[in-house]
Amino acid sequence: MSKKIVAMTGNHAVANAMKQINPDVCAAYPITPSTEVMQVFASFAADGAVDTNLVTVESEHSAMSACIGAAAAGGRVMTATSSAGLALMWEMLYVASGTRLPIVMQVVNRALSAPINIHCDHSDSMGARDASWIQLYAENAQEAYDNIIQAVLISEEMDVRLPIMTCMDGFIISHSIEKMELLDDNEVKAFIGDYKPHFPMLDVENPVTYGPIALQNFYIEMKRQQVDAMESAKQVILDVGKKFGDSFGRHYGFFEEYMLEDAEVAFVVMSSAAGTVKAVVNELREKGHKVGLLKPRMFRPFPAEEMANALKHLKALVVMDRSDSFGSAGGPLFTEVRSALYGVENAPLAFGKVFGLGGRDLEVHHVEELFKELDKASKTGTIDKVTDYITVRV
Amino acid sequence: MSDESKSYKVLPIGGLIPKAGSSHDYNTGTWRSSRPVHNKDNCINCLFCWIYCPDSSVIVEDEKFSHFDYDHCKGCGICQFECPTKVKAITMESEDKYR
Amino acid sequence: MANLKELSHKPEHLAGGHRLCAGCGAPIVVRQVLMAADDPVVISNATGCLEVGTSIYPFTSWRVPWIHSAFENSAATISGVEAMYQSLRAQGKIPADKKIKFIAFGGDGGTYDIGLQSLSGALERGHDFVYICYDNGAYMNTGIQRSSSTPLGANTTTTPVGKVKQGKEQQRKDLAVIAAAHDIPYVAQASPAYWKDLIRKVKKALETPGACFLNITAPCHRGWRSKPEETVMLAKLAVTTCYWPLYEIENRKVKINFKPKEKIELTKWLERQGRFKHLFKPENAHIIEKLQKHVDDDWDRLQRMEKLDTIKL
C-alpha cells in the first residue's frame, strides 16, 4: 500500500476521491461552499483524467433530475451541493430514493435562508433526514474522503440500492487545509469494483418502466421496501467500514466512541465540532473528570439500539445539534438519541443544546460551560432545561 | 397470484415495472358505451382508423384492416368519424346490443 | 416517406389498456411519434395525463424503456439518460455502433410553464434528444386549469367565465419560437391529423444530432368541451385555421409545410369547443376579434419569416 500524505481542503479531498471513483456521469450546479468540489472535478474532466460525462445543468433541481436519469440509464452517478441547492433538490431526493437509485452526493453543510448565510450548520441535510437517503457525516477532510469512497459501495449494494449523502461542514472543513492521506488510484478502483447494473434503461432489448404511478394498492409496499433497505444498509455500512479499515488502516462504524467506556458524562456531537469537543475532553480528563464523547457518523439509518448500548452506562449526556427543528422537542439529533434511550433501565439524563447556527463558532469555553452543566446534572440527578441554545447572545 | 396480493418482499423494488406493455393485460374495453363495427365491403383499407386510434385497438394484418381489439377499444368513435368512404366502413353501435 | 401500409409493419410501441380518456389526443401523438423511430428509443415523460394514464402500477403501456421522475424535469431527466449513454459509449461499455435515440415528452404545463427552465437548459446544452410537447392547452391532468398555452378567452377552472371575467385574459405563449431562439438545429410544429408531416418531422428530429424541439397539438375533449370523436378533426381545423401552423425551422431557415388554400375562419374551430361558448355572445365579439387578429398576425409573421434566407430569433 502506497501512502500519499498531502495537505488539502475538504473540497479538494472529495474532488480527488471522485476522480479516483471515476463516475460515469456527474450533474451539478454551483453553490457555496460546495462549488469547489465540482470546479476541481471539472478540471480533472477537462484534462481527460476521468471518463466522466460532466453535465453542467441549469439548477440543482435539474442536477438531481439528471442524476436520476443517468442512474436509471445504468451507471455510476455523483453530484455535490449545499444549502439552498439541496433544498431545491428536495422533491427529487424522494424520487431518487423511491426509485432506488444509488446516487452518491457530497453535501457541504451550510445554513438555509433566510436570512441568507453561507456558513456551516446542518439545517440543509437534517431537513432531508426523512428522504430515505443514507447519511454519513465527517469530522474532517480525511473522513470526508474516506466516507465518499465507501459510499459508492454502500449505495450500490443490491440489498440497499439507496442514494447516499456524505456530509462535511461548510468552510470549517470544506475550505480548511488539513493533513490527510490520499489512497492510491488503483487501490480505490479495486476497492469499489465495477458498477453492477440493475434493470438499466439503456438495455433497450429489455425495456423497463421507471417511475410509474402507484396508488393505494401498491405505494405502501414500496415504502416498506425502503425500510428493509435502510435496515440492510446498517450491516453493509459495517462491512464496508471493516473492509476499508482492513485495506487502508482506518476503520469505520456507526459512530466513534472517544473515552466513552469509563465515562460518567458525555457529549454527543457530529462533524467538525467533535474535534473541538475532543480537545476539551482531553483537557478535562487531565483534570481527572470522567468525561467522553460519542460522535455519530451515520445518521440515516439511525443506529438507535447500538447507540443506546454505548450510552446507557452514563449518568448524564448532552446532545449537541447544529440545526434545529423549530417547535419540536429538540434538535434532530437530540430527539433521536433521547428516543433511543427510551426504555433503557437507569437511562442517563439527557439534554440538548443547539449551537453554531449559520457558522457561529463553537469555542472551547462553550464546551467547558456545557461540561459544568453535565457535571451538575450527574451530581444532582436533575436537569434545568431539556433543550436550549448555546453560542447565542441572550 | 395477482400482484395485488403479493408481499412487499417479492415486488420489484422502486416501483420498477419489468414487463413492457403490461397494460395489455388491463381491459379498458369495459369503458365503452358504443363500439365500432367494421364493414369489410365498404373498407378501402386506407388505415386512417389505425393511424388515428388512441388505444392501439385497430389491428392491421398484411396491410389490411383485420379487426378491432375490443379488450382495449374505449369506443371514442374517432375511427368512425375519420373513415373517409362515402358509405362508412365503420359504424358505432350501442354496447347494450353486445351485453 | 413511408405510407400507412408500410408503417403498419412497424411494431406497436404503445400498448392498449392505458387509462387515458376515450378519444384523447395524446396517445395518438405518441403512437405516431414512436412509428417514426427506426432505432431503439428511450423516453422520459413529465408528470401529466400521458404519464399517469400509461403507467398505473403494475401496468405500463410502454414497450420501450421509459422513465418518469417529476413534472418540471422531463428534459433534465432525459439529459441524464443521454449523458450516461454518451459516457458508456465513449468508454466502450456500450458498442460504438449501438444507436439509441432519446425522446422527452411533456404536456404544455410541463413544458411551457413549470418545465421551461429545464427545457431551456437541456436545449442550450445540446443533448442529442428530441423534446416533444403534446400541447392540449391547459393543465388537463389536474382538471383543466389555464396554462400559458391556453388561448385567450378560454374557459378553464382557473379562468372561469363569471360576471366580470370572460375566460383567460392573455394570449397563448409561442413556445416553438422560444425553443428556436436557443438556436437549436431543428424546431417544428405538427398535428396528428397530418400524420405524414408529423412522422417526417419526428424522423428528421431524431436523425438530427443535437437538441430538437417539436410542439404538437393534442386536443383534449374534456378540457376543450368537444366531442371525443372530433379530436382528430379539431387537430386538423387548428391547422387549416392557421391557429396551429405546420412549419419547421431548420438551421435558422423557416419552412411552412402546409398553406391552406383558403384560411378557414377561427370561429369554425372555436365553435366546436365548449370552452369558447361564451365568446359567441354579442358582447364578447371583441374577444373573438382579438383571437383572430392574433392568429392572422402570427400567420403573416410566419410567412414573412419564411421569405428570409435565415432568421436569428
Side-chain angles (χ1 to χ4, degrees):
Chain A
M1 194 173 72
S2 58
K3 287 197 178 196
K4 191 179 170 194
I5 305 298
V6 294
M8 218 175 240
T9 66
N11 277 347
H12 277 260
V14 167
N16 272 279
M18 288 176 66
K19 177 179 149 200
Q20 294 176 316
I21 292 162
N22 192 21
D24 299 305
V25 169
C26 283
Y29 188 79
I31 181 167
T32 304
S34 68
T35 306
E36 205 181 16
V37 173
M38 294 315 297
Q39 206 170 283
V40 173
F41 188 77
S43 68
F44 296 144
D47 286 338
V50 288
D51 296 312
T52 310
N53 189 350
L54 176 59
V55 187
T56 49
V57 284
E58 82 298 332
S59 74
E60 287 88 353
H61 193 283
S62 285
M64 188 46 62
S65 302
C67 284
I68 287 166
R76 215 161 245 161
V77 179
M78 298 180 82
T79 186
T81 195
S82 292
S83 183
L86 186 63
L88 188 56
M89 286 180 183
W90 226 257
E91 177 193 25
M92 303 318 297
L93 295 180
Y94 284 79
V95 176
S97 58
T99 313
R100 305 294 297 277
L101 300 171
I103 295 162
V104 176
M105 172 158 65
Q106 179 64 46
V107 174
V108 182
N109 286 112
R110 165 185 158 182
L112 287 172
S113 297
I116 187 168
N117 174 301
I118 58 168
H119 292 284
C120 174
D121 71 33
H122 296 168
S123 53
D124 48 5
S125 58
M126 278 298 161
R129 66 191 183 275
D130 293 340
S132 191
W133 279 61
I134 295 168
Q135 290 191 341
L136 300 179
Y137 288 79
E139 180 185 334
N140 50 41
Q142 183 74 65
E143 287 187 7
Y145 173 84
D146 293 350
N147 277 351
I148 201 162
I149 291 169
Q150 293 173 61
V152 174
L153 271 186
I154 296 164
S155 69
E156 288 176 11
E157 178 61 39
M158 282 301 168
D159 288 344
V160 178
R161 242 31 208 195
L162 286 172
I164 180 164
M165 54 181 86
T166 57
C167 307
M168 70 172 158
D169 283 353
F171 289 108
I172 302 165
I173 302 304
S174 68
H175 285 64
S176 303
I177 295 178
E178 289 183 74
K179 183 180 146 191
M180 60 167 290
E181 184 204 332
L182 283 187
L183 301 173
D184 179 77
D185 289 356
N186 289 324
E187 285 175 335
V188 175
K189 197 177 170 192
F191 181 77
I192 59 172
D194 289 332
Y195 180 78
K196 301 173 284 290
H198 180 76
F199 292 104
M201 284 180 80
L202 292 176
D203 179 7
V204 289
E205 280 76 33
N206 297 291
V208 289
T209 285
Y210 270 93
I213 176 169
L215 298 171
Q216 301 95 320
N217 50 352
F218 285 105
Y219 181 89
I220 195 170
E221 276 72 27
M222 289 155 195
K223 296 298 114 180
R224 184 63 185 81
Q225 290 175 336
Q226 289 171 229
V227 177
D228 274 11
M230 275 287 178
E231 192 54 38
S232 303
K234 289 168 83 174
Q235 190 56 48
V236 171
I237 287 166
L238 287 180
D239 293 346
V240 172
K242 184 174 186 309
K243 182 183 167 190
F244 190 89
D246 292 347
S247 307
F248 309 122
R250 289 183 297 276
H251 284 84
Y252 287 88
F254 296 156
F255 41 77
E256 180 188 342
E257 294 167 73
Y258 188 78
M259 299 195 188
L260 192 62
E261 209 176 347
D262 65 337
E264 290 175 359
V265 296
F267 301 89
V268 179
V269 64
M270 309 177 15
S271 304
S272 66
T276 309
V277 175
K278 278 177 188 169
V280 177
V281 167
N282 291 345
E283 178 195 295
L284 292 166
R285 280 275 176 179
E286 277 174 25
K287 291 178 187 164
H289 297 292
K290 288 201 163 179
V291 55
L293 160 76
L294 185 144
K295 181 189 79 181
R297 171 191 184 229
M298 176 179 91
F299 189 74
R300 285 290 180 269
F302 191 79
E305 202 184 324
E306 296 82 356
M307 206 178 280
N309 278 332
L311 297 172
K312 66 183 178 192
H313 65 286
L314 298 167
K315 287 181 179 163
L317 62 92
V318 57
V319 181
M320 299 168 66
D321 270 287
R322 202 162 197 151
S323 65
D324 202 354
S325 175
F326 300 96
S328 78
L333 183 59
F334 175 66
T335 50
E336 295 273 356
V337 171
R338 200 162 70 144
S339 172
L341 292 169
Y342 183 82
V344 171
E345 213 176 324
N346 297 320
L349 289 169
F351 58 99
K353 298 287 184 189
V354 172
F355 76 100
L357 302 189
R360 176 66 54 87
D361 271 339
L362 178 78
E363 295 174 19
V364 166
H365 70 90
H366 293 125
V367 186
E368 289 168 345
E369 286 298 316
L370 269 188
F371 171 70
K372 286 180 194 164
E373 275 192 61
L374 271 176
D375 194 41
K376 190 182 155 203
S378 73
K379 284 173 179 150
T380 62
T382 57
I383 45 177
D384 294 336
K385 243 180 154 181
V386 177
T387 59
D388 204 355
Y389 273 52
I390 57 168
T391 69
V392 69
R393 289 186 297 275
V394 289
Chain B
M1 187 157 92
S2 86
D3 284 352
E4 273 195 60
S5 55
K6 282 182 185 163
S7 157
Y8 76 88
K9 291 173 189 165
V10 297
L11 288 170
I13 60 168
L16 186 102
I17 305 177
K19 188 183 172 191
S22 59
S23 72
H24 191 77
D25 300 339
Y26 189 85
N27 188 330
T28 49
T30 56
W31 295 14
R32 258 189 333 268
S33 57
S34 58
R35 67 163 59 190
V37 176
H38 185 245
N39 181 334
K40 204 175 165 205
D41 296 339
N42 296 345
C43 179
I44 57 169
N45 288 304
C46 67
L47 306 186
F48 284 2
C49 53
W50 169 74
I51 194 76
Y52 293 136
C53 177
D55 291 299
S56 314
S57 294
V58 175
I59 309 303
V60 174
E61 273 163 24
D62 298 331
E63 303 185 354
K64 289 189 173 68
F65 179 98
S66 167
H67 61 281
F68 287 114
D69 170 1
Y70 289 121
D71 286 343
H72 301 108
C73 165
K74 297 167 188 154
C76 67
I78 289 176
C79 54
Q80 188 270 349
F81 194 92
E82 296 299 328
C83 182
T85 52
K86 261 188 196 158
V87 183
K88 293 270 182 183
I90 298 168
T91 48
M92 298 303 288
E93 294 182 6
S94 171
E95 198 62 31
D96 294 341
K97 275 174 65 178
Y98 297 89
R99 283 198 180 114
Chain C
M1 181 65 211
N3 60 31
L4 288 181
K5 289 194 191 317
E6 286 160 12
L7 281 174
S8 70
H9 293 285
K10 288 230 153 196
E12 183 71 69
H13 287 311
L14 187 75
H18 59 70
R19 257 67 84 74
L20 292 156
C21 301
C24 174
I28 307 174
V29 169
V30 170
R31 288 186 62 234
Q32 294 183 5
V33 166
L34 295 179
M35 274 174 211
D38 293 322
D39 298 314
V41 293
V42 174
I43 288 173
S44 85
N45 203 154
T47 308
C49 289
L50 177 62
E51 168 265 326
V52 170
T54 56
S55 73
I56 302 185
Y57 192 91
F59 301 106
T60 177
S61 302
W62 300 89
R63 293 189 174 118
V64 293
W66 181 93
I67 185 168
H68 156 257
S69 73
F71 190 10
E72 65 278 56
N73 62 352
S74 187
T77 305
I78 205 73
S79 295
V81 181
E82 188 263 0
M84 183 58 76
Y85 167 71
Q86 302 295 0
S87 176
L88 297 183
R89 218 163 62 129
Q91 294 177 61
K93 293 176 184 172
I94 289 179
D97 59 352
K98 177 88 186 167
K99 277 193 191 166
I100 302 178
K101 304 291 184 182
F102 300 91
I103 297 175
F105 281 110
D108 47 294
T111 309
Y112 284 65
D113 294 343
I114 199 168
L116 186 63
Q117 173 184 309
S118 76
L119 171 65
S120 176
L123 295 182
E124 184 272 334
R125 291 190 299 275
H127 294 276
D128 191 5
F129 81 116
V130 180
Y131 192 101
I132 291 173
C133 175
Y134 70 99
D135 182 340
N136 52 30
Y139 290 84
M140 301 311 186
N141 192 41
T142 42
I144 321 165
Q145 292 81 30
R146 64 89 87 183
S147 77
S148 58
S149 166
T150 305
L152 176 75
N155 188 357
T156 74
T157 55
T158 49
T159 58
V161 175
K163 284 177 186 154
V164 295
K165 303 265 191 185
Q166 297 300 316
K168 194 191 173 199
E169 293 177 326
Q170 299 82 16
Q171 297 278 6
R172 169 182 160 261
K173 181 156 95 187
D174 191 341
L175 187 60
V177 170
I178 294 170
H182 290 76
D183 231 352
I184 52 176
Y186 188 71
V187 171
Q189 269 197 177
S191 160
Y194 296 82
W195 56 268
K196 197 167 196 166
D197 177 75
L198 188 152
I199 291 172
R200 181 186 64 79
K201 284 171 174 167
V202 176
K203 210 179 265 288
K204 174 104 205 162
L206 288 170
E207 283 163 7
T208 303
C212 300
F213 177 82
L214 265 74
N215 207 9
I216 304 181
T217 185
C220 163
H221 63 81
R222 294 296 305 131
W224 292 18
R225 298 294 181 213
S226 53
K227 291 180 179 165
E229 65 270 27
E230 294 189 355
T231 292
V232 173
M233 185 268 272
L234 284 170
K236 189 170 189 176
L237 262 181
V239 174
T240 51
T241 55
C242 296
Y243 173 78
W244 196 270
L246 303 183
Y247 70 99
E248 58 198 332
I249 306 175
E250 189 180 354
N251 296 322
R252 298 187 177 184
K253 177 75 186 131
V254 174
K255 186 172 179 357
I256 301 173
N257 310 108
F258 178 80
K259 289 178 188 169
K261 284 196 186 79
E262 198 183 340
K263 189 165 65 171
I264 293 173
E265 268 182 42
L266 191 63
T267 49
K268 299 290 176 215
W269 183 65
L270 301 175
E271 70 190 10
R272 311 298 302 168
Q273 304 175 49
R275 61 176 173 159
F276 299 118
K277 193 177 163 192
H278 57 290
L279 299 186
F280 291 89
K281 288 181 187 164
E283 63 269 30
N284 286 333
H286 66 284
I287 300 175
I288 291 188
E289 275 170 36
K290 270 191 202 164
L291 266 168
Q292 182 69 60
K293 184 170 186 317
H294 194 73
V295 167
D296 292 346
D297 288 351
D298 277 3
W299 180 242
D300 287 348
R301 180 181 53 117
L302 193 61
Q303 288 176 302
R304 286 200 305 277
M305 289 203 300
E306 192 186 30
K307 292 195 181 102
L308 301 172
D309 292 333
T310 182
I311 56 150
K312 175 75 172 80
L313 290 162

